[in-house]
Amino acid sequence: MSDPAGPVGVRDRSVRPVLPPATLGMLGGGQLGRYFVIAAHELGYRVWVLDPDPDSPAGRIADRHLVAPYDDPAAIDELATGCRAVSTEFENVPADTLRALVARTVVHPSADAVAVAQDRIAEKAFLVDHGLPVGPHTSVAAVEDLDDLADDLFPAILKRARFGYDGKGQAKVADAAEARSAFDGFDRAPCVLERRLPLDRELSVVLARSRWGDVACFATAENRHRDGILDLSMAPAPITPEQDAEARDVAVRIAEALDYVGVLAVELFVSDGRILVNELAPRPHNSGHLTLDATVTSQYEQQVRALCGLPLGSPRPVAAAVMVNLLGDLWPAGGEPPWGAVLGVPDLKLHLYGKVEARPGRKMGHLTVLGDDPGAVAAVAERARRDIGVIDA
Ligand code: ADP
Ligand code: MG
């Protein structure tokens, strides 16, 4: 993999860290970017955010909000001139934007690493090439690729290779005929066809890797989804020490193979007892929200530290935690959910992102419950969920 830092090289310890009060840049203004801004502010940095949405959650609290498309040459020029280091909070940032910035300022993660994570075909090929465990799948670039498929690929999920999130751009298909019509439904955009696996559970390992190759993994989280959207995360995950060690090992191998610098999230399946990689996110992850309240250093502070060449912080958990996503579905027309029902719960932290419009499926906030006993924490979180109107599926 080419070295994004050019002739200087990311491993050169003589490259000076970017210290506060330098100005940092963030591509993307969603909630992940918002927490990056908060973490950077805590450390005394200034942050400029690029996001075309004038109401973006991160843009609203940034020192400067560049309201422009991600490929806008003038905005990219401003970031390159005004920011000592730039990172991203979403994988769909154009790789060319990162490449244009790399030539003029510090950028982590690299455009090459983001390019792998933003395209499911490249991602799967990368994982297979490095001997990392993945489920049965095939890439679909043309309709003929759906001919003569092995029966063991079905039932399957057809996933668009690019621009999917929260289960969008995915279709469950029972056989090749259904796969063909789903492929047509995606306008024959490149896809990956994956066998629909029986899932014992889903896990994520969020880690940070520094310019010098130091790695710090947060506690492995278990994630539960509803309708393809993360519903709840708990850390530590209720898995065996062997499973935990394997999950971390897989995640660290991925980070090393990508020569990754920054925060990386690895989504994993446990299927019939085997750990398989689902997908990568080259950024902090929704399941890592709980690190805001439950670990010494949050994933966002780690992102700032890794970006700026500071030593990584401690990922040590200070409590067991359960995080519940709060989606726009909870919002009554013209009103707010009954926050009073949860604001008084001891050891519960409510986070709202300040999004202007609550739409179904939109991530509006989350709550995290902390405690010593994971079972008791989960029970409090379940009750809090019901009390503000999360209806069980
Ligand atoms: P997204 O980018 O939307 O997060 P994912 O590929 O992670 O896309 O899929 C979202 C969710 O759909 C997963 O977390 C999992 O619950 C389910 N899912 C995805 N792929 C499979 C699969 N091959 N077998 C079973 N469930 C899957
Ligand atoms: Mg996912």
Side-chain angles (χ1 to χ4, degrees):
M1 184 148 293
S2 66
D3 184 345
V8 180
V10 290
R11 290 238 163 59
D12 185 346
R13 280 187 191 262
S14 69
V15 177
R16 294 234 297 278
V18 174
L19 293 171
T23 298
L24 310 178
M26 175 47 59
L27 301 167
Q31 59 271 15
L32 302 175
R34 181 179 173 95
Y35 285 112
F36 173 89
V37 174
I38 293 169
H41 280 169
E42 280 180 357
L43 283 167
Y45 292 97
R46 301 190 178 105
V47 188
W48 293 3
V49 166
L50 173 62
D51 189 304
D53 174 4
D55 280 327
S56 77
R60 288 158 60 120
I61 63 165
D63 297 272
R64 186 150 173 236
H65 182 187
L66 301 163
V67 182
Y70 295 112
D71 55 0
D72 183 77
I76 295 168
D77 184 58
E78 290 235 46
L79 281 179
T81 315
C83 300
R84 291 276 309 284
V86 178
S87 194
T88 174
E89 60 120 37
F90 77 125
E91 50 271 46
N92 292 326
V93 56
D96 285 347
T97 296
L98 292 176
R99 293 200 176 98
L101 288 167
V102 160
R104 298 174 59 191
T105 186
V106 172
V107 180
H108 296 299
S110 70
D112 288 349
V114 173
V116 167
Q118 74 185 183
D119 182 314
R120 291 185 195 276
I121 295 175
E123 187 174 81
K124 284 278 196 296
F126 164 84
L127 293 166
V128 170
D129 283 353
H130 288 85
L132 291 150
V134 292
H137 67 277
T138 189
S139 54
V140 184
V143 74
E144 296 75 50
D145 294 334
L146 292 165
D147 295 340
D148 306 322
L149 292 176
D151 281 346
D152 77 346
L153 273 173
F154 295 99
I157 304 185
L158 187 72
K159 300 181 180 179
R160 285 184 74 136
R162 299 206 52 184
F163 304 118
Y165 68 99
D166 288 347
K168 294 188 176 67
Q170 301 194 4
K172 292 184 179 167
V173 293
D175 51 36
E178 284 189 20
R180 269 183 219 106
S181 63
F183 188 57
D184 284 341
F186 293 151
D187 296 329
R188 301 196 175 190
C191 286
V192 164
L193 185 77
E194 289 182 20
R195 174 154 181 221
R196 217 182 307 155
L197 299 161
L199 302 183
D200 309 342
R201 46 178 105 242
E202 294 188 61
L203 305 175
S204 55
V205 176
V206 178
L207 61 76
R209 188 164 178 274
S210 77
R211 292 182 193 177
W212 303 289
D214 304 322
V215 176
C217 291
F218 290 103
T220 305
E222 171 167 8
N223 303 319
R224 300 202 192 133
H225 295 78
R226 262 192 216 227
D227 303 327
I229 307 179
L230 183 67
D231 178 34
L232 182 151
S233 293
M234 61 175 75
I239 51 176
T240 64
E242 293 74 25
Q243 282 177 321
D244 190 31
E246 192 181 338
R248 286 169 187 250
D249 178 62
V250 165
V252 172
R253 279 165 58 201
I254 291 170
E256 287 175 349
L258 287 169
D259 198 9
Y260 197 86
V261 177
V263 170
L264 174 72
V266 178
E267 295 183 8
L268 302 157
F269 294 143
V270 186
S271 178
D272 291 333
R274 284 189 62 213
I275 290 197
L276 303 171
V277 180
N278 172 27
E279 61 168 350
L280 315 179
R283 53 168 170 78
H285 193 254
N286 192 165
S287 67
H289 279 334
L290 53 77
T291 64
L292 284 164
D293 301 304
T295 63
V296 175
T297 310
S298 74
Q299 61 172 350
Y300 307 99
E301 182 180 336
Q302 288 295 51
Q303 188 182 20
V304 175
R305 284 171 171 266
L307 173 66
C308 294
L310 311 183
L312 297 178
S314 163
R316 183 169 65 80
V318 293
V322 171
M323 187 247 14
V324 175
N325 263 342
L326 303 174
L327 303 184
D329 313 58
L330 279 176
W331 268 246
E336 286 288 310
W339 300 128
V342 293
L343 280 168
V345 177
D347 303 323
L348 183 151
K349 305 279 284 185
L350 178 66
H351 293 255
L352 296 170
Y353 310 143
K355 292 187 183 175
V356 180
E357 197 194 334
R359 291 191 296 269
R362 189 174 198 203
K363 292 171 180 165
M364 301 295 290
H366 69 271
L367 59 83
T368 303
V369 180
L370 306 167
D372 298 328
D373 173 47
V377 171
V380 174
E382 285 295 339
R383 184 143 103 242
R385 235 161 138 257
R386 282 199 301 275
D387 288 349
I388 51 166
V390 179
I391 297 151
D392 283 315

